[in-house]
Amino acid sequence: MEFAERAPRRRLGVDGPEVPLLALGSWNTWDRMDREDAARLVRLAVDRGVDLFDVAHYNFGPHAENAVTDVLFGQAVDDAGLAREDYLICGKLWLWDYPNSSFAEQMKVSLGRIGTDHADMVVLGDFMERPDLHTVVTEVAELVRAGRFTHWGVNNWSAGDVLFACRFAAAEGLVAPSFAQLKYSIARRSVPEGEPWSNLFEHEGLGLQASDVLEGGILAGRLEPERKIGADPGGIRDKIRAAYPELRRAADRFGATPAQVAIAFTLVHPAVANVLVGVSRVAQFEDNMAALGLAARHGDALRDAVAGLWLDRDVVDPAASWGTDAPVPR
């Protein structure tokens, strides 16, 4: 099995930063490791070019578990002897209690928990009830001017809301979103590969960060994950479990693991700048890194091999956020 020595970099949107093809998430990761192992993993990741970490304070809405994974990440980078300029942080701003919980206050708390005074970029979380997007974009721009972060993106917004944010920001001379963090996997393709989002990638210059690519570990072979995993738009999770043997057979044809095929698949999308994965072991990190070479060598052939595993086709609305079912044909 061939491993990538260092992660190549791509630009996260036309106006976004350069980022490694692989990024490490914090949800249910750092709190599943011993302190020494966490420091060792952070150091290894940065040494191999995987220097982007998605770190959030999980305390709102469906993520109100009050986890300390962000605090443990800050501890891990200190233990690893890393300076702040050695790595990039992608933070989260939640809209579940907005505007009662302002972005400025959220940044103060979340950055303080990590142990820094700035992020490099932030993702604005999804929402069920649409907030005043004029205010959202304006308040984000104020935080950019204040030096709290430089770039921002969205997490599972509808294509229409993102287009509004881009156009409003351009009209007002404000910083527009440069990327989107979307659920994207072998099984869930309808939103990131659909026409509405494809237009945003092509015409608005947005980059794509693929998240939940392993379906909480199911596409890596852990069919019944013990930890909390992401939402199941369209209710297809049982179908994904049932389809795992087909993914494993496809992976065998490439001399790869199912996780590597799942990660490499998303990297073939022309708008994908990086893939967000949750890693809690060095062996898992090395396995994920090997996906980068797999994508470079076999790109389109990988997509052909798993063409039959698109399981949310006609199940979710390609123009919508993850929580919206596909429109009924007329």
Side-chain angles (χ1 to χ4, degrees), residues 21-303:
L21 266 61
L22 211 62
L24 300 189
S26 67
W27 192 40
N28 291 307
T29 54
W30 307 109
D31 46 1
R32 291 191 289 134
M33 284 179 272
D34 293 335
R35 180 166 178 167
E36 290 183 0
D37 290 340
R40 188 178 303 113
L41 179 57
V42 166
R43 178 81 258 180
L44 173 65
V46 171
D47 288 346
R48 299 283 291 279
V50 182
D51 57 0
L52 173 59
F53 299 92
D54 183 281
V55 187
H57 181 202
Y58 294 102
N59 65 326
F60 283 108
H63 300 304
E65 54 256 44
N66 293 314
V68 295
T69 185
D70 51 339
V71 176
L72 295 176
F73 169 76
Q75 183 182 85
V77 293
D78 285 344
D79 290 348
L82 295 172
R84 180 61 184 86
E85 59 268 22
D86 292 333
Y87 59 93
L88 303 171
I89 288 178
C90 181
K92 281 282 200 307
L93 291 172
W94 303 110
L95 288 160
W96 300 102
D97 192 38
Y98 182 83
N100 295 327
S101 178
S102 72
F103 293 154
E105 181 60 27
Q106 288 188 48
M107 288 301 297
K108 179 181 178 181
V109 172
S110 63
L111 292 175
R113 287 169 61 89
I114 298 169
T116 185
D117 63 356
H118 71 283
D120 298 280
M121 62 201 85
V122 299
V123 172
L124 269 65
D126 48 14
F127 49 84
M128 293 300 182
E129 294 185 9
R130 190 176 189 264
D132 181 348
L133 295 180
H134 303 87
T135 304
V136 167
V137 175
T138 301
E139 188 172 345
V140 167
E142 290 172 355
L143 289 172
V144 171
R145 284 194 293 268
R148 300 301 253 175
F149 51 86
T150 306
H151 306 279
W152 68 284
V154 301
N155 173 238
N156 295 323
W157 284 24
S158 72
D161 287 338
V162 176
L163 180 61
F164 178 90
C166 290
R167 297 289 171 82
F168 174 71
E172 298 296 320
L174 304 175
V175 177
S178 58
F179 68 100
Q181 186 184 99
L182 298 177
K183 280 180 174 288
Y184 184 32
S185 71
I186 286 171
R188 301 186 192 273
R189 312 180 195 180
S190 294
V191 173
E193 294 188 7
E195 183 178 354
W197 274 97
S198 295
N199 287 335
L200 287 171
F201 300 140
E202 181 178 357
H203 301 300
E204 302 300 325
L206 264 70
L208 174 57
Q209 182 180 73
S211 70
D212 210 11
V213 297
L214 297 180
E215 193 70 20
I218 293 173
L219 293 178
R222 295 183 291 278
L223 301 187
E224 299 291 342
E226 296 179 357
R227 66 177 180 85
K228 182 179 179 181
I229 63 175
D232 181 18
I236 63 169
R237 189 154 286 152
D238 286 342
K239 292 182 179 179
I240 295 174
R241 290 189 179 94
Y244 174 74
E246 184 176 342
L247 171 60
R248 187 174 57 200
R249 287 191 291 271
D252 288 343
R253 293 200 295 273
F254 290 96
T257 67
Q260 289 165 7
V261 172
I263 293 169
F265 167 87
T266 63
L267 286 168
V268 181
H269 191 301
V272 169
N274 69 357
V275 176
L276 182 61
V277 295
V279 173
S280 58
R281 292 176 291 109
V282 168
Q284 188 180 15
F285 173 80
E286 295 286 10
D287 183 81
N288 290 178
M289 282 289 286
L292 308 185
L294 184 68
R297 294 191 303 276
H298 297 294
D300 290 337
L302 288 171
R303 294 187 65 89

